[in-house]
Amino acid sequence: MKKSQQITLFSFIALFLCAGILPTMGQEPTKHEFRGIWIATVNNLDWPSSPGISVEQMESEMLNMLDLLEELNFNAVIFQVRPAADAFYHSDTEPWSKWLTGTQGNPLPENWDPLSFIIEECHNRAMELHAWMNPFRVSMDTIMPFSPQNIANRHPDWVLTYGNKRYLDPGLPEVRDYLNNVVKEVVSKYDIDAIHFDDYFYPYPIPGTDFPDTISFQKFRRNYQPEDIKHWRRENVDLIIEMLSNTIKIKKPHVKFGISPFGVWKNYDEKDELGGSVTSAGNTNYDNLYADVLKWQRLGWIDYLIPQLYWEIGHPAVDYITLCNWWNERAFGRHIYVGHALYKLSEGSSTAWKNEQELPEQVLISRKMKKVKGNAFFRMRYLMGNPLEIQQKIRSRLYTHKAMLPAMPWIDIQPPEVPFKVKPRGFFKINKLFIKYKYKINPDKDLLGYMIYYSTSRDLVNTKTNENLIGFSRDQLIDIWKYEFPVKGPIHLWVTAIDKHHNESTPQGGLKIYIPK
């Protein structure tokens, strides 16, 4: 970057800060906000703690994580179901992951299905489950043994070795068809809320080593010349993203498709009409990973982006504020969330990551961006470890109240049927609420459950904010005393119905109870 550009950049940041973009400690979040976290399974990074442990231990570990997320008011889990051409779910074509069973292809006991279990437990907590897949990665090394079911054994001619890892060749039409069937199976069989890909498309480049796809280029070049191989690679990824988008929406129109790309789409170059952010990243989505994620967002192939903005405020080459603002301006009518480097609170080498305010300030800055609709944190084990007391920061400063997910009107904007009555249950005092619908009126098929609010007035409850939101239930019979109430004395309880996209009905209720002082 030229010196004049650096001065311009840092002047912009200073003006940005002086204009009040850094929020105050008391900034309240909106009621609708994506609050996600990644749970990685590759190399047992987050779950399970080790391969081959008992089902009971795996369930216990997952429930501990989900209980913490519920306590901290998260509402979305991005769970890695396909780390490397394997499966954390029952598949007709893919082998069980070695990071789950200890040996790739070995079955789980008791016919247990981890993905079904996690989906149900997430939905019980009003959390979405995004099924995270790595499309092209086949192995994390070149010595990992494959089961007979693995695609590398069934079609070794589809697999390329690059560095110390193996990958499916994105240039082969057969590979794209195969991945389409993998995604189709998961969408068809499971009640997931989204399919999620991260930043790994073509692999990050190894200096001095070209990706070995010359054979597939010669065979399927589509009129591209050798000097245009980068454009060919980008088109290969475009083709699979468009194909998967169509498949997902045909099978289940309500299932979302999201991407979490590397944080820099393209560095700005005054000679390049494509534009880019005023950054000097070593790699970019467009030039090195061949992922034109802005095109996918602009054409509506995907529903959201979570750019991985894993740098600190004021970083000289890739400044957080610069990038947050750049992505905010490129939502194209879809959702933008910000990915945060939670792991750097433990592993970051710069002074900024030793500052306990760095990550909270990043979240608060993102809330000042009009098109940014939430955040996600990488990753779960670091949240559990609580570096710099980040759990307390989230609970007391960032996620002080529960939040619902932001609506996606291009998918569904219709709220579910409002309950007809909320009736009390209990002998000497009200212990439960029973949600009743009109005769011959059943709850909507996509009903997720009920949000529970309180008010101090019999005639009015404000459901436009989350300040009076106290809990969620999937049951029509609600045990009210399992929830914590922020006030004492007489209050009134209300419920709304929400669907899987968190569209919300009008409130019903006003039932009076007394909270002991």
Side-chain angles (χ1 to χ4, degrees):
M1 184 185 295
K2 296 178 181 177
K3 185 175 181 181
S4 60
Q5 289 179 324
Q6 289 179 322
I7 293 172
T8 302
L9 172 59
F10 288 111
S11 299
F12 169 75
I13 293 173
L15 288 170
F16 207 49
L17 297 174
C18 293
I21 193 68
L22 281 179
T24 63
M25 290 285 289
Q27 184 199 25
E28 287 295 326
T30 62
K31 178 181 174 180
H32 295 271
E33 179 178 59
F34 184 90
R35 298 172 175 180
I37 193 160
W38 283 275
I39 298 180
T41 58
V42 64
N43 290 329
N44 299 104
L45 291 178
D46 291 323
W47 184 89
S49 57
S50 60
I53 62 175
S54 68
V55 168
E56 291 76 15
Q57 189 174 346
M58 284 192 280
E59 288 184 344
S60 176
E61 290 177 358
M62 180 55 67
L63 290 175
N64 286 339
M65 290 191 289
L66 297 181
D67 286 345
L68 176 62
L69 295 175
E70 183 179 27
E71 179 187 343
L72 297 179
N73 293 325
F74 280 77
N75 58 22
V77 169
I78 305 168
F79 175 65
Q80 193 172 31
V81 302
R82 188 179 185 274
D86 53 2
F88 274 70
Y89 56 92
H90 275 292
S91 174
D92 295 332
T93 60
E94 307 306 294
W96 284 109
S97 175
K98 75 164 189 173
W99 296 300
L100 186 65
T101 66
T103 301
Q104 189 179 90
N106 278 8
L108 282 166
E110 306 168 23
N111 205 34
W112 186 66
D113 191 327
L115 183 53
S116 291
F117 173 78
I118 295 166
I119 290 170
E120 183 69 14
E121 292 298 334
C122 283
H123 290 173
N124 286 343
R125 295 164 174 79
M127 296 178 191
E128 283 194 331
L129 190 287
H130 293 222
W132 168 18
M133 297 182 172
N134 295 81
F136 299 113
R137 187 169 65 203
V138 175
S139 70
M140 295 296 290
D141 55 48
T142 56
I143 61 173
M144 173 179 161
F146 295 124
S147 79
Q149 192 181 10
N150 190 284
I151 194 66
N153 276 331
R154 288 185 284 145
H155 291 284
D157 52 317
W158 295 0
V159 178
L160 301 173
T161 299
Y162 185 58
N164 64 347
K165 296 182 176 67
R166 287 175 282 196
Y167 302 89
L168 292 169
D169 185 349
L172 298 177
E174 300 92 337
V175 165
R176 296 193 290 271
D177 291 339
Y178 157 73
L179 291 174
N180 190 53
N181 288 330
V182 168
V183 170
K184 184 189 298 183
E185 180 185 41
V186 174
V187 172
S188 300
K189 289 170 61 174
Y190 292 94
D191 189 23
I192 59 170
D193 299 289
I195 290 291
H196 179 95
F197 288 176
D198 58 19
D199 50 319
Y200 289 97
F201 292 97
Y202 278 84
Y204 283 85
I206 300 170
T209 305
D210 290 333
F211 189 70
D213 57 354
T214 53
I215 293 176
S216 56
F217 175 73
Q218 290 299 328
K219 190 174 182 180
F220 302 105
R221 60 195 295 173
R222 298 188 299 275
N223 296 321
Y224 283 99
Q225 300 304 309
E227 62 270 21
D228 296 325
I229 192 169
K230 291 187 175 183
H231 297 296
W232 175 77
R233 288 172 179 163
R234 269 188 293 273
E235 188 174 85
N236 291 335
V237 184
D238 287 348
L239 289 170
I240 184 60
I241 295 299
E242 183 181 21
M243 178 187 292
L244 293 177
S245 177
N246 291 332
T247 294
I248 292 166
K249 299 308 179 182
I250 288 171
K251 295 300 295 185
K252 289 183 181 176
H254 65 275
V255 171
K256 304 169 186 177
F257 188 20
I259 308 288
S260 176
F262 182 72
V264 177
W265 175 72
K266 187 175 176 62
N267 293 317
Y268 175 75
D269 183 346
E270 60 186 13
K271 299 178 182 179
D272 187 346
E273 62 183 20
L274 288 176
S277 53
V278 185
T279 51
S280 52
N283 291 302
T284 70
N285 288 287
Y286 188 87
D287 292 316
N288 305 107
L289 307 180
Y290 308 109
D292 191 355
V293 297
L294 288 190
K295 176 180 181 179
W296 312 339
Q297 184 95 328
R298 187 178 65 251
L299 295 179
W301 294 349
I302 57 177
D303 298 299
Y304 69 79
L305 285 171
I306 313 181
Q308 299 170 16
L309 306 191
Y310 290 173
W311 303 280
E312 66 265 27
I313 299 167
H315 190 289
V318 272
D319 170 60
Y320 172 82
I321 295 177
T322 300
L323 285 167
C324 193
N325 189 61
W326 189 90
W327 286 100
N328 172 66
E329 294 174 349
R330 288 157 180 84
F332 300 117
R334 293 299 199 247
H335 283 188
I336 294 283
Y337 317 129
V338 171
H340 296 276
L342 176 59
Y343 70 97
K344 286 192 174 180
L345 298 187
S346 294
E347 299 179 359
S349 58
S350 70
T351 303
W353 295 107
K354 311 302 179 187
N355 180 359
E356 63 181 16
Q357 301 304 328
E358 174 70 27
L359 199 57
E361 288 295 343
Q362 288 189 9
V363 173
L364 296 173
I365 288 168
S366 74
R367 284 184 180 154
K368 287 289 188 179
M369 307 288 177
K370 291 184 178 180
K371 301 294 178 61
V372 173
K373 296 183 180 296
N375 311 85
F377 297 90
F378 190 81
R379 51 187 173 78
M380 187 69 210
R381 186 165 290 182
Y382 293 94
L383 181 65
M384 300 283 284
N386 198 26
L388 302 183
E389 297 188 330
I390 188 62
Q391 291 182 23
Q392 290 77 3
K393 302 289 189 305
I394 291 172
R395 184 184 294 109
S396 65
R397 186 179 177 191
L398 301 179
Y399 297 168
T400 55
H401 298 86
K402 293 187 179 298
M404 297 172 62
L405 291 152
M408 292 185 171
W410 59 92
I411 295 179
D412 180 16
I413 202 172
Q414 183 66 37
E417 180 76 23
V418 61
F420 176 56
K421 285 183 180 179
V422 178
K423 303 187 74 173
R425 289 288 188 270
F427 289 106
F428 300 105
K429 70 173 184 178
I430 299 174
N431 292 316
K432 301 181 187 299
L433 303 180
F434 179 66
I435 299 172
K436 185 177 180 181
Y437 286 85
K438 290 181 179 179
Y439 179 64
K440 291 187 177 181
I441 298 295
N442 295 316
D444 293 60
K445 290 182 179 180
D446 65 345
L447 179 76
L448 180 63
Y450 305 95
M451 288 295 183
I452 306 160
Y453 295 83
Y454 81 94
S455 71
T456 55
S457 167
R458 168 65 181 85
D459 301 319
L460 182 66
V461 63
N462 184 4
T463 61
K464 295 187 182 299
T465 73
N466 53 6
E467 293 181 1
N468 296 331
L469 177 58
I470 60 173
F472 167 79
S473 174
R474 297 190 78 183
D475 301 320
Q476 286 181 243
L477 187 63
I478 301 172
D479 182 356
I480 61 177
W481 297 110
K482 76 175 188 178
Y483 302 100
E484 294 184 8
F485 296 93
V487 298
K488 307 299 181 183
I491 63 169
H492 300 269
L493 295 181
W494 308 76
V495 298
T496 61
I498 66 167
D499 63 20
K500 291 180 179 179
H501 287 280
H502 286 208
N503 295 307
E504 187 175 26
S505 75
T506 55
Q508 182 62 271
L511 194 67
K512 185 176 181 180
I513 65 170
Y514 185 84
I515 308 300
K517 295 182 178 180

